Amino acid sequence: MLLSKWTDLGRREAATLPDRVTEVTKHLEEMGGRVLGFYLTMGEYDQVGLIETPDEEVAARFAVFIAGRGYVVSETLRCFSMDEMRSLT
């Protein structure tokens, strides 16, 4: 999960968000991952992205790619499904 807050650039370019999401989605797919959803949110974060990657290295490379674009400051969370949770206990 990617929790994102807009930078000054992100706020100025807010209207281009759907097109930028399309671009980063293609980039993630080229890296072997997939987007489960990107959402505009109200509250502490401006956007939330749910992604799936083959491993944590791809997730980290994607987070670095997102950060380098300059539109958001993000926080990445590793999420576990309930099936994965069952295997942890």
Side-chain angles (χ1 to χ4, degrees):
M1 177 180 293
L2 300 172
L3 304 173
S4 301
K5 294 181 181 184
W6 292 343
T7 61
D8 287 342
L9 175 61
R11 283 187 286 280
R12 283 194 307 272
E13 300 288 328
T16 67
L17 178 61
D19 294 333
R20 289 186 282 118
V21 167
T22 298
E23 291 173 23
V24 299
T25 296
K26 289 178 186 174
H27 187 76
L28 181 60
E29 289 170 353
E30 290 168 1
M31 297 171 75
R34 70 183 184 118
V35 170
L36 303 177
F38 267 106
Y39 305 92
L40 177 67
T41 56
M42 296 175 7
E44 184 176 348
Y45 295 94
D46 299 305
Q47 296 170 235
V48 173
L50 300 173
I51 64 169
E52 188 173 77
T53 60
D55 55 43
E56 291 178 349
E57 182 179 314
V58 171
R61 285 191 297 142
F62 185 66
V64 169
F65 169 74
I66 293 291
R69 294 170 55 91
Y71 294 98
V72 297
V73 174
S74 63
E75 182 177 342
T76 306
L77 303 175
R78 167 62 163 98
C79 300
F80 295 88
S81 69
M82 290 303 103
D83 288 335
E84 290 170 317
M85 173 61 189
R86 282 184 181 90
S87 71
L88 296 173
T89 59

